[in-house]
C-alpha cells in the first residue's frame, strides 16, 4: 500500500538524518572524545523522552556550491524532553554538518525552540559545538545570531538558560552562552573565544594555543566565564541534570522540594571546633556549609574562580537555598573585584528564580591596593551591594566571626534589607579591626607614651571591650539574635520557613540601572 511505502520511506529518511551525511564524520567526532548531538541529548534527558522538531529542515543557500550540500537538520538538533520528569527544551549543534556553523535555517530552528521554551515556561539547555557564523551565508548568518541574543536577553530571569560547551565556539557562538545563567565546559575539547589564536597572533604577535586562549580551565579559573568545569561529557551532562533538579521551571514557580531524612533540628556540634576563635586563623568555610545543609551536599558555582567567596546551591529541610559565604581559607575571605562580581551575579540569579539567600559572613573588609582601586573596586563592589538591595527573596544573614567596615554592610546586613540577621557569640562587627581602630583613635596618645606597645595593647583591649563585644550589634537591633552555633541548622530552617510566604514589591520602573 502507498501508506506503507511512505511510512517505510519516512523511517529510512529519519534513520539517515540521525546517522548524519557521512559515517566518517561520526568516527572523527568520537576520535576526539566527543559525542554526537543525539548521543549528548540522550545523556541529558530522561530515557525515551526526547521529541525532536524540524529534523528535516534544510538550508536554501545557493552561493559557493551550497546548493549541492543540503543535509537535513542543517547542523543543529532541536526539541524537548524530560529531566527528572520535568519538561526541558534543548538544542545541540551537530559538528558533523558544516562544523556546527550557524546559517539562516539553523538559526531559525533555534529561534523557534527558544520561543517555545518561553511560551511553555521551561528551562532551555544549549549543547554548543559550533564553529560560529556560516561564512557562505554572509549577513543572514549574523542576523541569525542576533535573533538568538535577543531571545537570550528577553528570557533572562524568566526561564533558566544553561549553556554546555562541548567543542570550539568562536565569535558569536561565545556570546549567547555569556548571556545565559550558567556555563559548563569540558576540559581539552571545549573552547570559547571571540577571536581565535591565528587572529590574535596576526594582530598582537602573541602565540597561544586554543586551550591556552579559551580552554575550560582558563574560563573556569581566570576569566570567570565558566561556572563549572569537568573532565568528560558524561559527568558534565550528569551535573547539568543535577543543576536542573535545583531550579524552578520558570520565574513564576519555586524550586522543587524534596523529602529530607536529615532532621531539621540536627545539632551542629562540629561547628564548635571547625571555626577557630582567633579571628586571624584561617579555616575552610565549605566545611561549615557541609555541616549545616541537608546530608552535607551542596553544588558550588565558580569553584575555581574568585575562591575568596563561596557561592553554592543546597537544600535545607528539602528546600533549595542559595548560599553566599566569605572563604577565610582564600585571601582571608576579603572581598575584591572578582569576588564581588561572582557573588553579585549569584545573588541576582537566585533572586530571579525564587531561591532564598543565606549569607555566611566572616569578612575582614575589601582588598586594599592601587590595582584594585584603578580597576574599579568601587563600581564592582557596588554590584554586590546593588544585587542584595534589589533582591526580594527571603534573606537570612549569619555572622560567623568578623564583619568589618563596608564589607559588613555589603554582605547582606540588616541595614540593606536582610529579613533576619543572626550571629554566633564569636562575632566581631565593627568599622575595622581593633588593632587598626586603636591606631587611628589613639594615635597621638600611643605616640607620646613612654611605653607605646603597652599603651597600644591597652587601647586595643579597651576598643574591643567597648565596641566589639558579641552583643553590641544585638543591643542596637542590627542583629536579631546571637545563637548557639550548635543550633545553626535548626534556626536557619525555622527562619526560612517563617519567610516562605514573604512578598515584596519593587517600585514601578522599566528596569534598574546597576553599576557597570
Amino acid at each position: 500500500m502507498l501508506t506503507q511505502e511512505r511510512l517505510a520511506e519516512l523511517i529510512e529518511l529519519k534513520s539517515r538524518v540521525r546517522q548524519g551525511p557521512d559515517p566518517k564524520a561520526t568516527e572523527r567526532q568520537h576520535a576526539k572524545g566527543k559525542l554526537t548531538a543525539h548521543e549528548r541529548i540522550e545523556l541529558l534527558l530522561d530515557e525515551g523522552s526526547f521529541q525532536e522538531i524540524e529534523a528535516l529542515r534544510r538550508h536554501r543557500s545557493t552561493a559557493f556550491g551550497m546548493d549541492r550540500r543540503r543535509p537535513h537538520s542543517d547542523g543543529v538538533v532541536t526539541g524537548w524532553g524530560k529531566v527528572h520528569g520535568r519538561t526541558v527544551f534543548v538544542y545541540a549543534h551537530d559538528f558533523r554538518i558544516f562544523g556546527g556553523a550557524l546559517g539562516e535555517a539553523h538559526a531559525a530552528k533555534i529561534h523557534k525552540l527558544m520561543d517555545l521554551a518561553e511560551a511553555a515556561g521551561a528551562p532551555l539547555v544549549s549543547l554548543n559545538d559550533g564553529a560560529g557564523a556560516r561564512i557562505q551565508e554572509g549577513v543572514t548568518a549574523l542576523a541569525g545570531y542576533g535573533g538568538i541574543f535577543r531571545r537570550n536577553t528577553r528570557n533572562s530571569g524568566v526561564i533558566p538558560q544553561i549553556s554546555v560547551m562541548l567543542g570550539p565556539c568562536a565569535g558569536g557562538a561565545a556570546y549567547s552562552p555569556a548571556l545565559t545563567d550558567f556555563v559548563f565546559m569540558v576540559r581539552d575539547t571545549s573552547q570559547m573565544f571571540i577571536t581565535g589564536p591565528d587572529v590574535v597572533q596576526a594582530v598582537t604577535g602573541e602565540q597561544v594555543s586554543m586551550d591556552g586562549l579559551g580552554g575550560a580551565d582558563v574560563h573556569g579559573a581566570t576569566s570567570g566565564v565558566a561556572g563549572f568545569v569537568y573532565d568528560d561529557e558524561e559527568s558534565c551532562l550528569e551535573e547539568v541534570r543535577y543543576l536542573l533538579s535545583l531550579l524552578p521551571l520558570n520565574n513564576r514557580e519555586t524550586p522543587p522540594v524534596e523529602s529530607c531524612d536529615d532532621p531539621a533540628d540536627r545539632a551542629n556540634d562540629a561547628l564548635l571546633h571547625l571555626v577557630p576563635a582567633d579571628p586571624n586563623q584561617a579555616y575552610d568555610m565549605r566545611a561549615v556549609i557541609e555541616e549545616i545543609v541537608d546530608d552535607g551536599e551542596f553544588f558550588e558555582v565558580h569553584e575555581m574562580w574568585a575562591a575568596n567567596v563561596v557561592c553554592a546551591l543546597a537544600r535545607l529541610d528539602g528546600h533549595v537555598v542559595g548560599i553566599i559565604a566569605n572563604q577565610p581559607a582564600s585571601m582571608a575571605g576579603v572581598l575584591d573585584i572578582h569576588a564581588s562580581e561572582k557573588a553579585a551575579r549569584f545573588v541576582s540569579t537566585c533572586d530571579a528564580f525564587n531561591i532564598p539567600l543565606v549569607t555566611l559572613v566572616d569578612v575582614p573588609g575589601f582588598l586594599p591596593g592601587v590595582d584594585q582601586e584603578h580597576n574599579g573596586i568601587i563600581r564592582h563592589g557596588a554590584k554586590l551591594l546593588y544585587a542584595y538591595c534589589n533582591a526580594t527573596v527571603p534573606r537570612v544573614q549569619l555572622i560567623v566571626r568578623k564583619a568589618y567596615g563596608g564589607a559588613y554592610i555589603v554582605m547582606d546586613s540588616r541595614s540593606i534589607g536582610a529579613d533576619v540577621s543572626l550571629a554566633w557569640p564569636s562575632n566581631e562587627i565593627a568599622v575595622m579591626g581593633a588593632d587598626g581602630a586603636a591606631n587611628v583613635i589613639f594615635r597621638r596618645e600611643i605616640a607620646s607614651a613612654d611605653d607605646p606597645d603597652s599603651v597600644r595593647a591597652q587601647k586595643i583591649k579597651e576598643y574591643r571591650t567597648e565596641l566589639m563585644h558579641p552583643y553590641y550589634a544585638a543591643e542596637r537591633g542590627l542583629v536579631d539574635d546571637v545563637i548557639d552555633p550548635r543550633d545553626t541548622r535548626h534556626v536557619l530552617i525555622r527562619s526560612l520557613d517563617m519567610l516562605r510566604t514573604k512578598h515584596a514589591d519593587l517600585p514601578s520602573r522599566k528596569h534598574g540601572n546597576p553599576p557597570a
Side-chain angles (χ1 to χ4, degrees):
M1 294 178 62
L2 180 62
T3 304
Q4 293 295 330
E5 292 174 1
R6 288 298 187 191
L7 182 58
E9 180 185 37
L10 173 64
I11 293 172
E12 195 271 336
L13 175 60
K14 286 195 171 183
S15 176
R16 280 192 284 112
V17 171
R18 182 186 171 95
Q19 291 172 5
D22 181 6
K24 291 183 179 180
T26 301
E27 293 175 9
R28 289 192 295 269
Q29 186 82 344
H30 287 162
K32 296 175 184 176
K34 298 163 62 177
L35 301 174
T36 65
H38 280 98
E39 289 169 343
R40 289 164 173 167
I41 290 172
E42 287 172 357
L43 282 177
L44 174 68
L45 300 178
D46 295 348
E47 185 176 356
S49 68
F50 183 53
Q51 175 63 55
E52 187 172 355
I53 59 172
E54 296 210 0
L56 304 182
R57 186 81 178 248
R58 298 200 291 181
H59 73 76
R60 54 187 180 181
S61 177
T62 58
F64 306 105
M66 289 289 286
D67 55 328
R68 296 188 297 274
R69 298 175 60 202
R70 299 182 63 232
H72 291 98
S73 84
D74 202 44
V76 64
V77 179
T78 56
W80 69 86
K82 303 284 186 179
V83 173
H84 301 301
R86 299 191 304 155
T87 299
V88 171
F89 288 80
V90 59
Y91 69 85
H93 297 137
D94 191 340
F95 195 81
R96 301 172 303 171
I97 298 175
F98 302 127
L102 180 140
E104 179 191 28
H106 181 124
K109 290 179 64 174
I110 296 175
H111 296 168
K112 176 183 285 187
L113 189 81
M114 295 179 80
D115 292 342
L116 279 173
E118 180 184 357
L124 174 71
V125 179
S126 62
L127 306 180
N128 299 274
D129 187 5
R134 194 175 298 170
I135 299 172
Q136 298 93 326
E137 296 196 30
V139 70
T140 56
L142 298 178
Y145 270 124
I148 293 173
F149 303 157
R150 180 163 56 88
R151 288 168 173 83
N152 282 139
T153 304
R154 190 173 69 209
N155 288 330
S156 180
V158 178
I159 58 173
Q161 298 181 83
I162 299 173
S163 298
V164 188
M165 316 309 294
L166 300 168
C169 296
Y175 272 126
S176 175
L179 291 168
T180 60
D181 301 303
F182 300 98
V183 176
F184 289 71
M185 293 190 74
V186 176
R187 289 186 176 93
D188 300 326
T189 59
S190 66
Q191 298 90 26
M192 296 173 68
F193 35 70
I194 301 304
T195 53
D198 293 342
V199 176
V200 169
Q201 183 175 357
V203 174
T204 70
E206 298 171 289
Q207 290 187 331
V208 63
S209 67
M210 289 179 66
D211 269 330
L213 181 63
D217 287 320
V218 168
H219 288 309
T222 303
S223 73
V225 171
F228 310 92
V229 175
Y230 298 94
D231 290 328
D232 56 76
E233 294 190 15
E234 290 82 0
S235 58
C236 178
L237 292 170
E238 183 59 35
E239 293 300 275
V240 174
R241 286 175 57 86
Y242 180 57
L243 174 59
L244 286 166
S245 76
L246 296 168
L247 300 174
L249 292 177
N250 55 63
N251 66 340
R252 299 183 302 276
E253 297 188 4
T254 54
V257 180
E258 289 192 352
S259 59
C260 178
D261 296 326
D262 193 349
D265 59 354
R266 170 171 56 82
N268 301 127
D269 295 334
L271 295 179
L272 295 179
H273 61 79
L274 282 176
V275 180
D278 180 356
N280 296 317
Q281 188 174 342
Y283 64 94
D284 191 345
M285 184 64 85
R286 291 187 184 92
V288 175
I289 297 171
E290 186 177 352
E291 171 61 24
I292 294 170
V293 300
D294 291 356
D295 302 313
E297 187 173 289
F298 61 93
F299 193 53
E300 188 171 352
V301 182
H302 287 297
E303 180 180 355
M304 300 164 60
W305 181 60
N308 41 321
V309 69
V310 176
C311 297
L313 294 170
R315 281 191 165 88
L316 283 170
D317 198 29
H319 295 267
V320 178
V321 296
I323 298 174
I324 305 93
N326 305 112
Q327 173 56 296
S330 176
M331 299 171 61
V334 71
L335 285 176
D336 64 353
I337 288 172
H338 288 161
S340 299
E341 288 187 314
K342 170 180 169 177
R345 171 72 171 177
F346 185 73
V347 168
S348 295
T349 301
C350 289
D351 185 53
F353 295 114
N354 306 312
I355 299 173
L357 298 170
V358 174
T359 304
L360 306 180
V361 184
D362 191 347
V363 62
F366 281 94
L367 180 65
V370 174
D371 180 65
Q372 288 286 305
E373 296 294 347
H374 286 187
N375 284 289
I377 185 61
I378 294 173
R379 59 188 174 86
H380 290 291
K383 291 177 182 178
L384 180 53
L385 185 62
Y386 186 98
Y388 268 125
C389 290
N390 200 50
T392 60
V393 292
R395 292 156 52 186
V396 179
Q397 178 200 47
L398 172 63
I399 300 166
V400 173
R401 208 168 54 170
K402 56 187 176 295
Y404 296 159
Y408 153 68
I409 302 172
V410 169
M411 290 297 292
D412 205 20
S413 64
R414 203 73 163 82
S415 59
I416 67 168
D419 298 297
V420 175
S421 178
L422 306 167
W424 287 357
S426 51
N427 81 82
E428 291 185 354
I429 307 172
V431 175
M432 63 177 68
D435 292 16
N439 287 336
V440 172
I441 298 172
F442 307 109
R443 181 177 66 253
R444 292 180 181 176
E445 188 174 342
I446 292 170
S448 62
D450 294 334
D451 186 354
D453 291 340
S454 176
V455 173
R456 181 182 291 108
Q458 177 189 342
K459 294 303 182 183
I460 289 172
K461 182 178 180 181
E462 185 179 317
Y463 183 84
R464 182 173 281 116
T465 301
E466 182 68 23
L467 294 178
M468 294 180 65
H469 64 79
Y471 313 107
Y472 185 85
E475 290 171 357
R476 285 151 182 79
L478 296 174
V479 166
D480 295 304
D481 196 14
V482 179
I483 66 171
D484 184 332
R486 294 171 294 185
D487 295 333
T488 299
R489 172 176 166 83
H490 191 202
V491 175
L492 287 176
I493 288 173
R494 284 195 299 188
S495 299
L496 291 168
D497 183 63
M498 175 272 295
L499 291 166
R500 203 83 63 203
T501 55
K502 175 184 175 181
H503 178 77
D505 289 319
L506 293 172
S508 177
R509 58 184 175 184
K510 188 173 183 181
H511 57 75
N513 189 22

